[in-house]
Structures are given as C-alpha cells and as structure tokens.
C-alpha cells in the first residue's frame, strides 16, 4: 500500500510527530518538555549530518529531525529526501501507521521534498513474497501554512506514478512480456482518462518497423507498439511534447548472449518505457495543461530459431538500412523505429529515455544519466534544471560528427555498433539518424536499477525518469 499525504491546519497533541528543524534552538518551549530540551542541549554538537532525536511519550513519539545542511540550492532538497529516508526506517521499526509532520525555518519546497521521499522510501515490491510484512505507514499529515491542496494531490499522484514505474521495472519477464506491458499501459491510460492505441505485430509489419521486428525475431511473444496521448483542451503547447521509452522487456543479448552475471538485472531494460508511460499518467491525472504523447516499442531480445544475426542488413521504418554487427545493441534498433514514427506528430520536442549502454554507466556511474541533444539546447537546459530539482541529474555528452564516422557501414547506411570507445555517444549518433525535430536522448542505464538499497530510491527499479518528466511538463506552463 502507498502512504497518503494529507494537509492539516494544526498538529494534534497526541499523535506521532516529526518536526524538521535547522537548529534545535528553533524549537519553541511548548513543543518539548523541560527534560527533553535539556537532553537535546546536552547531546547537541555541531555537525553537518542529519540527526534524528526521538522521544518516547508512551502513547506517541516525537521525532526531531535536525537537518544541518550547508546546501542552499536544490542539493538541500536531496538532503531532505535523505533525511526522510532515515526517519522512515525509524517509523518502520516502530510500526507507526499515522504520523504528522511540521517544518521550521525551511521553505515549502523542502517540506515537499521530504514528504515525497517519505512515500518513496516506503516502497516495497512484495508481490512474490508468500509471507508479506506490509509496510505500516498509511497516512502522513503535513502542516504548513503555504501548502496548497492541489500541491498535495500532485505529490500523491507523482509518488503513485513512481511506484507504478518501479513495479513494472521489478516485474520479471515471465510475467511482464511485450503483450503484458501494453496491457499495463492500457490500465494506466484508462485510470488517467487518456487515449491509447496498441499496435500488434501485423500493424508493426505493415508499418515496416524493421528494427523492432528484427529484435523480436528470436522471441515467441510478438512485439507491441504503444501510443498513449494526453491532450487537454487548455494545453499551452500547439505541438505535442513526445516521450519515447525503450521497452526491451528482457535483454539476454540475443545471439551475442550476455555472459557472466551481466544478464541478471536485464528485466530492467524497459525502465525507459515505464518512465514515459507513468509520467504521462501523472501529468494527465494532475491535469497539467500540456499536450503529451508517450510512445513505447516493446519486445524481448533473445536467441531463438529465427533470431536476427550478425551480418543481417535490416530496413528500418524510415527506409534507412542498418547492418547488424551486435545483437546486444538492440535498444537503438527498436528506438530508431519509434523515433522515426513520431515524426508524424510534428513534435515540439522529443525526449527518449533508454537503458541503452553499459558505456554510459562506466562513464558516470549510477548517480546520474547521460544526455545529448540535437536542436534542443534551450529545452535541454530546462530539463537539466528539472533534473537538479528532482535529483535525476543529466551529464551532457556531445553529438559531434567525429563520432558519427564510427558507425559507418561498409554495405549499409549505418551499422548498429561503433568501436570500443565512446559507446554511449555512438549509440546517440545512431539514434540521431532517425530524428528530424528538436530531440533529447537520455541514457538511464546507470540509475534505473540498483542491486542494493539506495536511500529513497530503494532496491531494484528506482523509478528514475518519472519525476523529471512530470517536472518538465510543469515547467512548460
Ligand atoms: N540493455 C543494455 C544496456 C545496459 C547495460 C542496461 C547495463 C542496463 C545496465 C544494452 O542493450 C546493451 O546490451 N548495450 C551494449 C551495447 C554494445 C553491444 C554496443 C553495451 O552497452 O554493452
Ligand atoms: Zn543489449
Ligand atoms: Zn538492452
């Protein structure tokens, strides 16, 4: 169950309470007993870490969360999220169900970051556990004079969307195949009241999506291609904002099969798809006045009787030919078809999200994503700012033509791999061949999935991408 945030006008006297402070001296006399105060003063030392002091008043607790951050910008929001993760561990240990929260001397945005993280930190993927120990936290009451009801609604919606994104990423392929993921998208669209169309294999063949069909050729499950649309009457944009997500529901590598343990986490290879679908869901549910379309090509990538092979030359949706020289570089093949397909929407800007390359992970690790853009310098900076706010940060890589030379093919227009170097960029250069509008490419291979608990991002699918895309839509208002 997902905890729900509710606005209150005043804290009540006998409920579990969290007070966020910059300094314990900000606490007024009425908040604590004399004994509690002197305890705090005695144990007070100057430090830069977040500290949690908890007082057991028998029928409830008071938690003083001392966030002593030197940060003043968006990094302070991240300190708030990390502090919230810590407090949620305390609440869990005490099986606390309802808690009220107030904040002293920090602004509203800090409170929002803290609240968001309290919900995100409570996430667990328990579907396959026979014995479930369900998360106890149910209601979070927030007290702040400036907090608006619609902001609370938005927080609840974006957290719900992030939960759904994580759920999809955490589902293994023996449940979430290409058909099932399209059904999940239908459920999202119906729930949010937006339109959706799912193309089956026949339609994909008719559209000559050679990339998606090639990657799918080793599979027993047909591919799907989903288009979701949210077009509010009061949209501020005349041309749609289009999101494209890589929907490889499982990546074995194909005939270039992944070895060692490099295949283990590859159910996450549809994290881009989950992000773009759940972002659209959140934008629609929040009634944000922005016209958005999300597109997902989906298939698994595996060896099979008829699997595509190295040396194959395939013709893509836009007519270009590609020489396949590694079946594990499959993401760019299915994305290429989607990117040329969305041309018909005459987009204002297209943003694709993809767990595309190990090269991106080696370059910058799992704390951020790699981003590139063509003719979208302004939008890119806007998006980077959104990423700083949500702490889904973007490191810009170039799309210089020097890298384009690395994917020239001897017998086709281009090949699907470059050399040993600059793999994230050559993948971007490959995609660029299929774009003809302002475009941003985000490689989320590093941050999309984690194999050990990473604060409020959790374990497994982190939900990376949902929040930044919602923030980006809001920034267009
Ligand atoms: N899905 C992988 C990329 C990936 C790696 C995602 C690590 C998440 C974590 C992608 O399809 C892939 O296999 N890329 C290859 C490309 C290479 C063959 C050119 C890679 O990065 O090794
Ligand atoms: Zn691959
Ligand atoms: Zn892949």
């Amino acid at each position: 169950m997902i905890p729900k945030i509710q606005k209150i006008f005043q804290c009540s006297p006998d409920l579990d309470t969290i007070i966020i402070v910059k300094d314990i001296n900000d606490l007024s006399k009425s908040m604590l007993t004399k004994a509690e105060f002197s305890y705090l003063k005695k144990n007070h030392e100057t430090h830069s870490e977040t500290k949690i002091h908890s007082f057991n008043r028998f029928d409830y607790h008071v938690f003083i969360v001392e966030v002593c951050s030197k940060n003043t910008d968006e990094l302070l929001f991240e300190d708030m999220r990390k502090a919230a993760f810590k407090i949620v561990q305390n609440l869990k240990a005490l099986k606390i169900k309802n808690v009220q929260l107030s904040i002293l001397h920090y602004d509203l945005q800090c409170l929002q970051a803290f609240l968001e993280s309290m919900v995100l930190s409570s996430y667990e993927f328990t579907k396959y556990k026979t014995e479930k120990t369900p998360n106890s936290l149910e209601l979070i009451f927030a007290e702040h004079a400036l907090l608006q009801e619609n902001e609370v609604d938005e927080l609840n919606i974006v957290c719900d969307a992030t939960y759904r994104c994580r759920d999809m990423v955490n589902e293994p392929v023996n449940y979430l195949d290409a058909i099932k993921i399209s059904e999940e998208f239908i459920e999202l669209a119906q729930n949010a009241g937006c339109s959706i169309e799912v193309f089956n294999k026949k339609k994909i063949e008719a559209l000559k999506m050679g990339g998606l069909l090639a990657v799918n050729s080793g599979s027993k499950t047909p591919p799907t291609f989903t288009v979701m649309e949210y077009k509010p009457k009061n949209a501020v944009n005349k041309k749609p904002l289009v999101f494209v997500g890589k929907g490889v529901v499982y990546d074995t590598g194909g005939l270039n099969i992944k070895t060692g343990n490099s295949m283990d986490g590859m159910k996450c290879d549809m994290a881009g798809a989950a992000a773009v679908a759940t972002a659209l869901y959140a934008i629609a549910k929040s009634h944000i006045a922005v016209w958005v379309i999300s597109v997902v090509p989906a298939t698994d990538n595996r060896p099979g009787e008829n699997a595509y092979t190295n040396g194959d030359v395939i013709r893509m949706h836009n007519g270009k030919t590609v020489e396949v020289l590694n079946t594990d570089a499959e993401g760019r093949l299915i994305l290429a078809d989607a990117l040329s397909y969305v041309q018909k929407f005459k987009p204002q800007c297209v943003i694709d999200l993809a767990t595309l390359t190990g090269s991106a992970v080696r370059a910058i690790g799992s704390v951020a994503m790699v981003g590139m853009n063509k003719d979208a310098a302004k939008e890119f900076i806007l998006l980077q700012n959104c990423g700083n706010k949500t702490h889904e940060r973007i490191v810009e890589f170039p799309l210089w033509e020097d890298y384009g030379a690395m994917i020239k093919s001897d017998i086709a227009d281009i090949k699907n791999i470059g050399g040993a170097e600059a793999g994230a960029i050559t993948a971007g250069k490959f995609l660029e061949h299929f774009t003809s509008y302002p475009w941003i490419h985000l490689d989320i291979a590093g941050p999309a999935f984690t194999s050990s608990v990473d604060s409020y991002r959790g374990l497994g699918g982190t939900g990376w991408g949902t929040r930044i895309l919602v923030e980006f839509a809001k920034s267009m208002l």
Side-chain angles (χ1 to χ4, degrees), residues 246 248 251-253 258 266 269 301 326-331 356:
K246 172 176 172 183
V248 172
D251 185 9
T252 67
K258 289 184 184 289
M266 282 303 142
D269 217 16
N301 178 31
N326 192 317
T327 61
D328 198 10
E330 84 298 339
L356 203 60

Side-chain angles (χ1 to χ4, degrees), residues 9 54 160 217 349 381:
F9 292 91
S54 97
D160 168 42
S217 57
C349 178
I381 291 170

Side-chain angles (χ1 to χ4, degrees), residues 409-429:
S409 160
D410 294 337
I411 66 161
D413 297 333
I414 45 175
K415 56 183 179 181
N416 79 331
I417 47 162
E421 297 172 344
I425 303 178
T426 49
K429 287 305 283 183

Side-chain angles (χ1 to χ4, degrees), residues 293-310:
I293 297 175
S294 284
V295 174
V296 172
T299 177
D300 49 354
N301 178 31
R302 50 174 108 220
E305 259 183 312
N306 252 325
Y308 76 136
T309 61
N310 292 334

